[in-house]
Amino acid sequence: MKKTLAALACLLGLALLTMPSSCYYDNEEDLYGPGTGNCDTTTIRYSVEVKQILAANCNNCHLPGGSTYSGIPFETHAQFQEVALNGKLVDRINNQAAPMPQTGLMDKCSRQKLEAWVNAGAPNN
Ligand code: HEC
């Protein structure tokens, strides 16, 4: 009974949040390899895809003029690579308790793209 309730709660969470981390470790890349579904993660370049995601979701805080720029700037590749390689980037973009951006997790595909880039060693490509 308890299990059924938990499963129901999870399903409800699924319907409401689309991706509750408590239900399922949702990493499509690990499960199926890159480029499955509608999310193409085969070519992720810092100069193109990564910068687009940053521009759309992070720049108003982490880039010049942004509220966090003085403390945590993501202006150069080296600056962004640091949080990529020390694990903070992948943690925070998937951390529902302390999400980046602060307003809530990005869509799954944007997160998968950043993760693919991190897994490739966060190159300056
Ligand atoms: C509304 C402003 C805002 C936006 C938008 C935002 N951030 Fe942040 N970010 C912050 C602040 C403030 C901190 C420092 C406090 C904290 O860790 O929560 C931070 C901290 C972080 C950290 C932890 C760095 C460290 O050294 O501890 C990472 C990683 C990060 N942000 C990544 C991102 C990414 C990636 C995006 C876009 C997908 C993003 N942030 C969008 C304001 C923002």
Side-chain angles (χ1 to χ4, degrees):
M1 186 60 186
K2 268 196 174 157
K3 266 194 176 160
T4 316
L5 278 178
L8 276 176
C10 251
L11 280 176
L12 195 68
L14 250 183
L16 292 174
L17 298 168
T18 69
M19 202 200 122
S21 56
S22 54
C23 293
Y24 179 53
Y25 182 63
D26 198 355
N27 185 332
E28 212 168 54
E29 269 212 303
D30 285 351
L31 292 174
Y32 308 116
T36 55
N38 298 325
C39 189
D40 186 359
T41 58
T42 44
T43 308
I44 306 297
R45 293 152 295 186
Y46 172 72
S47 59
V48 183
E49 292 81 7
V50 171
K51 279 198 164 177
Q52 279 170 359
I53 294 171
L54 283 175
N57 300 284
C58 322
N59 283 1
N60 52 336
C61 294
H62 289 277
L63 275 211
S67 55
T68 322
Y69 174 65
S70 58
I72 309 171
F74 293 160
E75 189 177 10
T76 65
H77 170 263
Q79 288 164 342
F80 196 54
Q81 190 187 43
E82 194 181 320
V83 291
L85 297 184
N86 70 16
K88 288 180 176 176
L89 175 62
V90 171
D91 171 40
R92 296 299 295 270
I93 61 171
N94 294 299
N95 189 333
Q96 301 207 7
M100 281 295 145
Q102 293 169 329
T103 44
L105 299 182
M106 292 183 288
D107 64 283
K108 186 170 154 185
C109 189
S110 298
R111 288 181 279 137
Q112 285 181 332
K113 285 179 175 177
L114 286 184
E115 283 175 30
W117 176 72
V118 171
N119 289 338
N124 189 4
N125 54 352

